[in-house]
Amino acid sequence: MTTTALPPAPAPGAKPGKPVKIHKFSKSREGTPLSRTVKYGLLIIFVIIVFVPMYVLIVTSFKSNANINPQSAWAVPSTWSLEGWSKAWNALAAPMGRSLLIAVVASAVSSILGSMNGFVFSKWVFPGANIIFTLFLFGMFIPYQSIMIPLQGVMLDLNNNVGLPKGPATLILAHIVYGIPICTLIFRNYYTTAVPNEILEAAKVDGSGMLRTYWSIVLPVSIPAFVVTLIWQFTSAWNDFLFALFLSTRQTGPATYALNELAGGQNPDFSSSMAGALITSLPTLLVYIILGKYFVSGLMSGSVK
């Protein structure tokens, strides 16, 4: 695309020059029909690959155990049955309530603590701040499997000597502790770019201390980062199985523990286990459907000053 601009006025006696053409970059053209066909064809193939397991889950969950055959897993059930769904719901209703309690409390507390830590590490300079922040980040890279046995011993001591209730309370504490490092990192990066130092200096001039500045100025503008950490922590706590296996029992475990019990055994009930997998995946699926756009915008918020 080109536009024509008027040239500067010629000097006296000089011949007028030709108009000057200023070239501008035009918008990139769309690809050729062949490239668009290839692109959409690949996307359709990827969608099919992703949805094939979901299709098998759904059709198998509506089959009776007598009609389930691995050789005909793709076939639509000849007789639709809700027996598997009923059995799965009866086995998972109470554990899903415990999972909801664990995920909500752990995500909320770890997000609040991470917000406080992120504010301190991003806006308050003190000796050894970088070293302490680096030690915080080490918690993100420690494999759960490597500390599970000593963690089980620590939690057992807390249950017996401190009075920490067994069951959901133990899992909540574990998820809070392991959620603090990632929450601290997210909030620290967010506050570094999204909260100007001038605002904090003005608050200090007005006589606000650290807590008052955090409560009145920093916390109200932290919603994008809170959305990210809450979704992240909720998903991690809901989908966790390793902590549940080591720190809970069949009577006090979350939904993932109960789902493992439902699907295990020498004679697995495929119908109820497939239905149970769909039921336990619904909460996190709904969270991402409802809050997915806020999750992406929250990740990008504050990335550019």
Side-chain angles (χ1 to χ4, degrees):
M1 179 179 179
T2 60
T3 57
T4 304
L6 295 177
K15 295 181 180 181
K18 295 181 179 180
V20 178
K21 291 184 179 181
I22 302 175
H23 296 272
K24 294 183 178 180
F25 292 103
S26 60
K27 294 182 178 179
S28 59
R29 298 179 180 179
E30 294 184 0
T32 62
L34 178 59
S35 65
R36 291 200 300 270
T37 302
V38 173
K39 178 176 65 176
Y40 289 119
L42 290 175
L43 290 176
I44 292 173
I45 293 174
F46 292 151
V47 169
I48 293 174
I49 293 174
V50 170
F51 278 95
V52 160
M54 183 64 67
Y55 167 78
V56 175
L57 277 173
I58 294 174
V59 297
T60 306
S61 67
F62 286 102
K63 294 179 181 179
S64 61
N65 290 325
N67 296 329
I68 293 178
N69 187 348
Q71 296 180 353
S72 60
W74 307 95
V76 176
S78 57
T79 303
W80 295 78
S81 173
L82 294 176
E83 179 184 354
W85 286 85
S86 176
K87 182 178 179 181
W89 177 252
N90 292 333
L92 295 174
M96 285 186 67
R98 293 192 288 267
S99 285
L100 185 62
L101 173 65
I102 293 168
V104 170
V105 176
S107 58
V109 175
S110 59
S111 295
I112 293 173
L113 294 177
S115 174
M116 294 179 179
N117 293 335
F119 171 61
V120 171
F121 285 124
S122 62
K123 299 301 180 182
W124 291 83
V125 180
F126 58 91
N130 292 331
I131 297 176
I132 297 176
F133 179 68
T134 303
L135 294 176
F136 262 85
L137 296 186
F138 279 161
M140 296 171 52
F141 304 104
I142 299 176
Y144 291 174
Q145 296 84 348
S146 64
I147 51 89
M148 201 53 58
I149 299 300
L151 177 63
Q152 189 180 33
V154 170
M155 290 300 181
L156 187 61
D157 289 339
L158 292 177
N159 296 142
N160 296 333
N161 301 326
V162 182
L164 179 69
K166 295 182 179 180
T170 303
L171 292 174
I172 288 173
L173 179 60
H175 286 296
I176 289 174
V177 171
Y178 269 87
I180 288 176
I182 182 63
C183 292
T184 299
L185 176 64
I186 292 173
F187 277 103
R188 190 249 189 189
N189 293 343
Y190 176 78
Y191 291 147
T192 299
T193 56
V195 180
N197 293 329
E198 291 77 9
I199 295 179
L200 303 182
E201 292 174 359
K204 187 182 296 185
V205 171
D206 291 339
S208 296
M210 178 188 295
L211 294 179
R212 180 61 184 272
T213 302
Y214 172 77
W215 179 260
S216 301
I217 297 176
V218 177
L219 192 60
V221 299
S222 304
I223 294 178
F226 268 105
V227 171
V228 175
T229 56
L230 287 174
I231 295 177
W232 182 280
Q233 285 300 103
F234 182 91
T235 306
S236 300
W238 183 275
N239 293 333
D240 169 69
F241 175 69
L242 191 61
F243 281 157
L245 184 63
F246 277 83
L247 303 178
S248 65
T249 62
R250 180 180 301 178
Q251 292 75 23
T252 62
T256 51
Y257 196 111
L259 182 62
N260 179 69
E261 292 287 324
L262 185 66
Q266 297 294 330
N267 249 337
D269 187 343
F270 291 105
S271 177
S272 60
S273 60
M274 298 295 180
L278 292 171
I279 292 173
T280 53
S281 65
L282 283 178
T284 52
L285 182 63
L286 291 175
V287 166
Y288 275 103
I289 290 176
I290 298 173
L291 301 176
K293 61 179 180 180
Y294 302 106
F295 182 78
V296 176
S297 62
L299 282 176
M300 299 303 296
S301 180
S303 59
V304 179
K305 191 172 183 179

